Amino acid sequence: MKINAVEIKPGNILEYENGLWRVVKTAHTQPGKGGAYMQVELKNLRDGRKNNIRFRSAESVEKVRLDQKDFQFLYAEGDNLVFMDTETYDQVTLPTDLLGDAAAFLQDGMAVTLEMYEDEALSVALPDTIEAEIVEADAVVKGQTASSSYKPAILDNGVRVMVPPFISAGTRIVVDVYAREYVRKAD
């Protein structure tokens, strides 16, 4: 679907120079001399390259719509992750680096959403928060409990997060997957 350059918004997926790009930032500029243009920061969905492009306001670009499908994480196999389509039970193998830092939070049987373009998976979205268990937490330093201080702790998946002083080893907590932050104590 063709759209004018002025309609480009962050989060849009564009087809540009035979590649798929996600719009990261946009800035509409009207210089005193010459025509207006959109300064657009793009990130390639296949290889992660970034690019800054200027589109003239009258220029049109191809906007791509990605299909979102529900999958379930099955297991890790070397540098790859295996997911199963919840409707057709087909299995898809994807490289771990497609998830980036969020890959550490994958749990067996976790429901995820894959963004697909012509049956090719381009990104994996995990739930915003997950439950994890603290396996190691530093002791509270006496006198530090009066202020809102945090202490380092290690989760059962090896990720290090900062937690409030009352959290100890063996406690289950809810963690924000993308910010890698403590949210609350699990129920």
Side-chain angles (χ1 to χ4, degrees):
M1 161 172 109
K2 292 264 188 205
I3 60 170
N4 283 340
V6 291
E7 297 172 19
I8 298 173
K9 306 234 178 311
N12 286 357
I13 309 294
L14 304 178
E15 191 170 333
Y16 178 73
E17 291 183 346
N18 298 324
L20 291 176
W21 301 78
R22 183 180 306 273
V23 177
V24 180
K25 281 192 234 168
T26 61
H28 188 262
T29 308
Q30 288 182 297
K33 193 175 184 183
Y37 61 88
M38 286 292 284
Q39 182 73 32
V40 181
E41 184 179 319
L42 301 171
K43 183 177 182 184
N44 191 303
L45 290 175
R46 291 194 173 102
D47 57 22
R49 285 180 297 140
K50 284 193 172 180
N51 203 349
N52 279 317
I53 309 292
R54 282 187 180 176
F55 294 105
R56 291 186 315 277
S57 293
E59 207 173 331
S60 64
V61 292
E62 187 69 30
K63 182 180 174 187
V64 176
R65 188 178 173 102
L66 298 180
D67 298 324
Q68 293 188 336
K69 291 187 81 177
D70 293 330
F71 277 75
Q72 183 178 17
F73 172 66
L74 296 179
Y75 57 90
E77 189 177 74
D79 287 344
N80 293 319
L81 303 170
V82 180
F83 297 92
M84 178 184 68
D85 189 327
T86 56
E87 293 173 9
T88 63
Y89 303 109
D90 292 338
Q91 291 186 7
V92 177
T93 303
L94 300 173
T96 305
D97 57 344
L98 189 65
L99 272 83
D101 293 340
F105 290 99
L106 274 174
Q107 298 170 341
D108 290 344
M110 178 182 276
V112 297
T113 304
L114 266 64
E115 286 187 326
M116 316 277 283
Y117 178 70
E118 295 177 352
D119 293 330
E120 177 191 359
L122 296 174
S123 71
V124 180
L126 274 62
D128 291 335
T129 59
I130 61 131
E131 274 190 26
E133 186 174 333
I134 303 285
V135 291
E136 186 181 319
D138 289 355
V140 179
V141 178
K142 191 171 184 170
Q144 262 191 341
T145 55
S147 65
S148 61
S149 61
Y150 280 74
K151 63 181 183 179
I154 298 174
L155 302 174
D156 53 8
N157 58 9
V159 175
R160 188 180 194 90
V161 294
M162 298 300 282
V163 297
F166 62 86
I167 301 292
S168 59
T171 308
R172 291 195 64 76
I173 62 169
V174 176
V175 181
D176 184 314
V177 171
Y178 296 101
R180 292 180 166 231
E181 292 176 346
Y182 166 86
V183 176
R184 62 182 163 80
K185 205 170 175 178
D187 300 329

